[in-house]
Amino acid sequence: MATRQTLTLAKPDDWHLHLRDGEVMAAVLPQTTRCFARAMVMPNLHPPIATVEQAVAYRGRILAALPPGVRFTPLMALYLSDAFDAAQVAQASRSGCVHGVKLYPKGIATAGQPGVSAIERCYPALAAMEEHDLPLLVHGEVTSTLVDIFDRERTFLDETLAPLVARFPRLRIVLEHISTTEAVRFVEQAPPNVAATVTVHHMLMNRNSLFEGGIRPHHYCIPVLKRESHRAEVLRAATSGNPKFFLGTDSAPHLRHTKENACGCAGAFTAHAAIELYAEAFEMAGALDRLEGFASHHGADFYRLPRNTETITLERGQWPVAERIAVGEAGEIVPLRAGGTVAWRLCAAGAQPA
Ligand code: DOR
Ligand code: ZN
Ligand code: ZN
C-alpha cells in the first residue's frame, strides 16, 4: 500500500488543556486554536476556578484573548475541593458553559491549591453530579509519599476510582492523561460511562526520555512518564478505535525558568504541534485511519456535544519546531521537541495540499 501523504479529518477537540491566564494565555491560545475547535479548559488557576461565576468570567477572558476572526469554544471545568458546594452542580449544569468538574487529589496540585483531601467529603457533590449528569474529570494519582511515584496511578485505581465507580454507577467519569497498563485495563473493563483522555507525550515517550544524556526537565510531567511496556499499551489503547479513549493534550505552559530549576514544575507544552504529534503516534501504530475517531469523534460523543463539521488537513512533511515560544515580557516557554522536527504538517485553513 502506498504511504499516505495527506489526511483530512473533522476538526479535532482537545479534552484536557491548560491555558492559564493573562500574558501566558495570550501566548498559548493561538497554538491551540490553529487546530482545535473546542477545548476543555482546566481550572487549576490561582485561585482555582471553583464557582460558575468564576468559570463564566474566565471563559470571557479566553474569548477576549482570541486572535481576530478565530472561532473557538472554550468548555469550562470547575475545580472540586472539600468545600465544593453541591448547590453549584445544578447551577453548573444549567449554565451551558460548564461541562465537567475536575478532581485533583490534595497534594498533587500546584502549591497553594486545595485539592480534595478525602473523596468521601465530596460524595454529596458527586451524587448531585450523577443526578445532573455532569461529568467528573479525574487526575488519578495518590499523593502519599509512601507510594512509589511510578505506582501512584495504579494505586489510585484500587483505592479511589474503583470504589467511586461502584458507588456512583451512572456518573460519567474521565480518567485524565492515563499512563499505565493498569489504567488502560481499568477503563476498558469499566462500564461505558468511564472513559479516558490520552496525551501525546504519554503515547510517544517512556521514562528514559527523562534522562537522555542528562536530566530533561521539559519531559517532566505528572503522571510521570512510565516504562516502555506502559507506553506501548497506552499507544495501543488510544489507537485501537475504542471510543472510550480520546484526545486530551494536557498541554501545560510553564515559563522556562520554572522548569529549568532546582525544583522544576511538572508539565509538557505540546499545543504548538499537538495534532501533528498525534499523527506521528498513530502512524507509528499503523492506525492513521483511526486518528479521526480519537481526535474528533469519541470525546464529543462522550460529552454529548455535536461533532465538528469543519475539517483540517495534515500533510506529510518535516518542519522544524521553534526553540522557544515568547511570552510577552514574562519570558518564554520551551515546547516539546524544541529544535527538533515533526513529521506531519497542518495545512493552512482552507488550503488544499499540493
Ligand atoms: O504535568 C502536569 N502539569 N500534569 C498535571 O496534571 C497538571 C499540569 C499543570 O497544570 O501544569
Ligand atoms: Zn492532571
Ligand atoms: Zn492537566
Side-chain angles (χ1 to χ4, degrees), residues 13-16 37-43 49 51-52 55-56 58-59 62 72-79 84 88-103 129-130 132-138 171-174 176 193 197 246 299-306:
D13 300 307
D14 184 350
W15 297 100
H16 184 134
R38 298 172 288 203
M40 185 68 76
V41 181
M42 291 300 121
I49 303 299
T51 67
V52 175
V56 168
Y58 184 29
R59 182 174 181 274
I62 298 168
F72 173 73
T73 306
L75 307 167
M76 310 312 290
L78 295 185
Y79 189 99
F84 192 82
Q88 283 280 337
V89 173
Q91 195 191 343
S93 70
R94 273 198 313 271
S95 72
C97 76
V98 175
H99 294 268
V101 178
K102 178 77 190 278
L103 160 63
M129 286 163 58
E130 184 178 47
H132 287 271
D133 203 14
L134 187 62
L136 175 71
L137 285 47
V138 181
L171 180 62
R172 276 185 289 156
I173 299 175
V174 183
E176 302 290 336
N193 55 307
T197 55
F246 44 83
D301 296 351
F302 185 85
Y303 279 101
R304 305 200 184 128
L305 291 167

Side-chain angles (χ1 to χ4, degrees), residues 16 18 20 44 104 110 139 177 220-223 250 252 254 266-268:
H16 184 134
H18 297 272
R20 319 299 191 207
N44 60 335
Y104 292 94
T110 345
H139 183 116
H177 46 50
Y220 171 57
C221 61
I222 49 173
D250 200 11
H254 291 278

Side-chain angles (χ1 to χ4, degrees), residues 191-257:
N193 55 307
V194 179
T197 55
V198 189
T199 79
V200 79
H201 43 284
H202 290 104
M203 290 171 76
L204 288 174
M205 299 195 297
N206 64 34
R207 64 191 190 182
N208 289 345
S209 308
L210 289 164
F211 308 105
E212 272 163 11
I215 194 153
R216 299 289 188 131
H218 299 289
H219 293 170
Y220 171 57
C221 61
I222 49 173
V224 70
L225 297 170
K226 303 298 190 300
R227 65 166 65 242
E228 172 60 15
S229 57
H230 293 286
R231 184 205 65 83
E233 188 57 10
V234 167
L235 178 75
R236 183 203 60 73
T239 58
S240 68
N242 185 334
K244 282 169 162 271
F245 299 98
F246 44 83
L247 187 158
T249 61
D250 200 11
S251 181
H254 291 278
L255 295 180
R256 178 197 283 271
H257 71 274

Side-chain angles (χ1 to χ4, degrees), residues 8-13 292 295-297 307-312:
T8 295
L9 52 151
K11 201 164 185 187
D13 300 307
E292 184 179 41
S296 319
H297 295 160
R307 293 179 177 182
N308 298 314
T309 50
E310 283 175 71
T311 60
I312 61 162

